[in-house]
């Protein structure tokens, strides 16, 4: 075969292999887009575990008509424009690939209206070259993305979809994680027309604890110890479960770095170590923790799915987290973080 440039759809399908694993991955990308657009309310409608329909509607800033086609193109993003931006990411997205990838493996329509526009427009990408078609539509300010028949044209992927219940379970779990990252955003989840979750926007401590209990359960809230430690550019806050309450909460391990959910080895290790003396080895620490760090100090461009980060000063972050957890566990500890300064 001669060397040739791949048709757009095929190139996008290859990229989709990295980030679009199942319906929950689609929901993650779309909800993150809504959050990046400043939405305060997000409605998620799922049919058949997401294999038939995933519809996400937000009240964010919308996309102007002239850019709707670009939104569906690969390597097109409004979130970064230079290496400097890439080195200090403040948005959840930045790769400019999600919409192009998802629309290459489904029937995707995006409908949007901005405040400055009188009417809304819908866009979808057709054929092997993914040529974008636009048509007028009705929609309030904000954006709706509808994804039908996920993987209909990639049978090998479709075959890996699990039961409706399993796939919906992944979506539900994902939205729990997101609900804890943005207490200020209202999130509603429907499955097959039925309202399954309703996370109300919460501002006060009482409202936040209500959401925490809705996601993590009342036992977690009952045994929760508040964590709060700040030093220079680094801040850790959230809740950890006291060791006595840890037994039944093995699966509550939520960690966020600058609002992004993480599964990070370094963070996990620091937490485990802090708990070491107080937890039997067959039990896991339960926690909901938020790390805020200068975006220059952390690299999020490590993996396409972005659930790993690399801290420039890993050792210092590790020790900081360790100290914060230790002091929360042994309340009353008033240590001095100066010694840990890098
Ligand atoms: P990325 O999020 O990495 O920029 P995406 O493919 O997810 O890439 O989205 C491409 C672009 O489309 C975004 O940069 C943004 O400008 C626009 N966009 C996508 N979803 C929304 C939304 N819900 N509201 C407003 N703009 C959006
Ligand atoms: Mg995105």
């Amino acid at each position: 075969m001669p060397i040739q440039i791949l048709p757009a759809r095929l190139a996008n399908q290859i990229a989709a292999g990295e980030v679009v694993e199942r319906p929950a991955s689609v929901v993650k990308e779309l909800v993150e887009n809504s959050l990046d657009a400043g939405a305060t309310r997000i409605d998620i409608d799922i049919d058949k575990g997401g294999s038939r329909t995933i519809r996400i509607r937000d009240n964010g800033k919308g996309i102007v008509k002239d850019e709707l086609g670009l939104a569906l193109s690969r390597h097109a993003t409004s979130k970064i424009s230079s290496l400097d931006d890439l080195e200090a990411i403040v948005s959840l997205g930045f790769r400019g690939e999600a919409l192009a990838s998802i629309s290459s493996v489904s029937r995707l329509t995006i409908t949007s209206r901005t405040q400055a526009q009188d009417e809304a427009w819908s866009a979808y990408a057709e054929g092997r070259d993914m040529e974008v078609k636009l048509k007028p539509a009705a929609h309030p300010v904000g954006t709706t993305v509808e994804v039908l028949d996920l993987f209909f044209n990639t049978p090998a992927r479709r075959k890996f979809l699990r039961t409706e219940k399993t796939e919906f379970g992944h979506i539900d779990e994902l939205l729990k994680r997101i609900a804890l990252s943005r207490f200020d955003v209202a999130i509603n989840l429907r499955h097959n027309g039925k309202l399954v979750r309703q996370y109300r926007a919460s501002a006060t401590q009482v409202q936040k604890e209500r959401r925490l209990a809705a996601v993590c359960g009342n036992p977690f809230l009952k045994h929760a110890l508040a964590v709060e430690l700040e030093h220079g550019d680094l801040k850790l806050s959230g809740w950890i479960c006291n060791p006595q309450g840890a037994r039944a909460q093995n699966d509550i391990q939520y960690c966020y770095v600058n609002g992004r959910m993480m599964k990070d080895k370094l963070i996990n290790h620091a937490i485990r170590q802090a708990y070491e003396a107080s937890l039997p080895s067959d039990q896991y620490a339960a926690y909901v923790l938020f790390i805020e760090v200068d975006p220059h100090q952390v690299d999020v461009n490590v993996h396409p799915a972005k659930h790993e980060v690399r801290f420039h000063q890993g050792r210092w972050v590790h020790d900081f987290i360790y100290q914060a957890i230790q002091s929360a566990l042994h309340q009353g500890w008033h240590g001095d973080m100066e010694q840990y300064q890098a």
Side-chain angles (χ1 to χ4, degrees), residues 315-327:
R315 187 70 226 174
W316 147 240
V317 174
H318 180 282
D319 291 351
F320 177 81
I321 295 169
Y322 174 82
Q323 277 310 326
I325 306 286
Q326 279 258 304
S327 69

Side-chain angles (χ1 to χ4, degrees), residues 29-30 32-33 36 79 92-99 306:
E29 293 294 334
L30 299 182
E32 288 187 345
N33 279 346
D36 281 342
K79 300 172 191 175
L92 295 167
F94 58 85
R95 300 172 55 91
E97 288 195 322
L99 290 179
K306 308 189 208 94

Side-chain angles (χ1 to χ4, degrees), residues 229-231 323 327 330 332-340:
L229 191 64
E230 197 168 347
H231 188 87
Q323 277 310 326
S327 69
H330 311 118
W333 183 90
H334 296 293
D336 176 3
M337 286 305 296
E338 294 304 331
Q339 55 174 316
Y340 287 95

Side-chain angles (χ1 to χ4, degrees), residues 17 155 184 212 219 240 262 266 329:
D184 56 324
L212 184 68
I240 59 172
M262 282 294 132
L266 177 124
L329 286 172

